Amino acid sequence: MDLLQPNPPLDLEDPDLKLRTAGSIPPPARFGASARVTESLISPSARIDGEVYRSVISPGVVIEPGAVVRESIIQHRMRHPLRRRHRPLHLPLDKEVTVGAGCIIGTGDPNIPNFERPDIVNTGISIIGKRATIPPGLRIGRNVVVGPGVHEELADRDELESGASVHPTHIPLHLFV
């Protein structure tokens, strides 16, 4: 998030900075007619049709029309797009996360620390783990941890209150690949 400052501590455009990357050149980011992006870093192959404010969007992420992403870090290749009416706020979404329609992430009291890890999850940021599935309409508070691979554990819930944690009932081996 420090790279979003007007004069970031690391100037990615500095010609003397030797950034080395591997792999082929991905297609450019694509911005639709309804896209609105402010103070953000958008990676190649992302598709933006919604609104993105002060966020970092990784390669392959899709933000659909009507979705609002604010002060968030969205990791690589979300398997399904962030759908209409999302309002992720202050959160990192790990790789290949599925977020259902109508979810609101980052609501509630930012002063309630995570009950399991108050030492590190206490600044209002909720964390959604790798390959987790967030069902449609779920409201997620602040300082919430949704562990990697969580799926059916959230199926019958309407809300995760600030400070909550949810872990998978079993951890599939593919999450470690």
Side-chain angles (χ1 to χ4, degrees), residues 7-35:
N7 297 307
L10 177 64
D11 182 2
L12 296 177
E13 297 173 15
D14 180 352
D16 294 328
L17 180 64
K18 303 295 184 207
L19 291 177
R20 302 188 196 298
T21 61
S24 63
I25 298 173
R30 193 175 267 282
F31 298 87
S34 60

Side-chain angles (χ1 to χ4, degrees), residues 59-62 64 74-83 94-99 130-133 149 151 174-175:
V61 171
V62 176
E64 286 191 350
I74 311 296
Q75 293 289 346
H76 300 69
R77 300 178 315 273
M78 288 194 57
R79 199 176 293 168
H80 297 286
L82 277 176
R83 294 200 170 93
D94 205 339
K95 296 176 182 176
E96 301 173 5
V97 169
T98 301
V99 179
K130 184 175 184 178
R131 296 186 179 137
T133 301
H151 295 290
H174 74 274
L175 291 176

Side-chain angles (χ1 to χ4, degrees), residues 23-134:
S24 63
I25 298 173
R30 193 175 267 282
F31 298 87
S34 60
R36 292 188 67 190
V37 178
T38 305
E39 297 182 75
S40 297
L41 295 175
I42 309 297
S43 295
S45 75
R47 191 176 81 222
I48 312 296
D49 289 303
E51 299 176 30
V52 179
Y53 302 98
R54 285 195 44 76
S55 295
V56 178
I57 306 298
S58 297
V61 171
V62 176
I63 310 294
E64 286 191 350
V68 178
V69 177
R70 192 180 312 277
E71 296 185 6
S72 299
I73 300 170
I74 311 296
Q75 293 289 346
H76 300 69
R77 300 178 315 273
M78 288 194 57
R79 199 176 293 168
H80 297 286
L82 277 176
R83 294 200 170 93
R84 296 175 191 265
R85 299 188 50 191
H86 285 97
R87 291 196 181 148
L89 178 65
H90 301 292
L91 78 147
L93 291 181
D94 205 339
K95 296 176 182 176
E96 301 173 5
V97 169
T98 301
V99 179
C103 290
I104 298 177
I105 304 172
T107 66
D109 188 347
N111 298 313
I112 298 174
N114 183 267
F115 302 126
E116 289 182 357
R117 294 302 309 265
D119 55 325
I120 59 172
V121 186
N122 57 26
T123 62
I125 296 173
S126 292
I127 301 167
I128 311 298
K130 184 175 184 178
R131 296 186 179 137
T133 301
I134 308 301

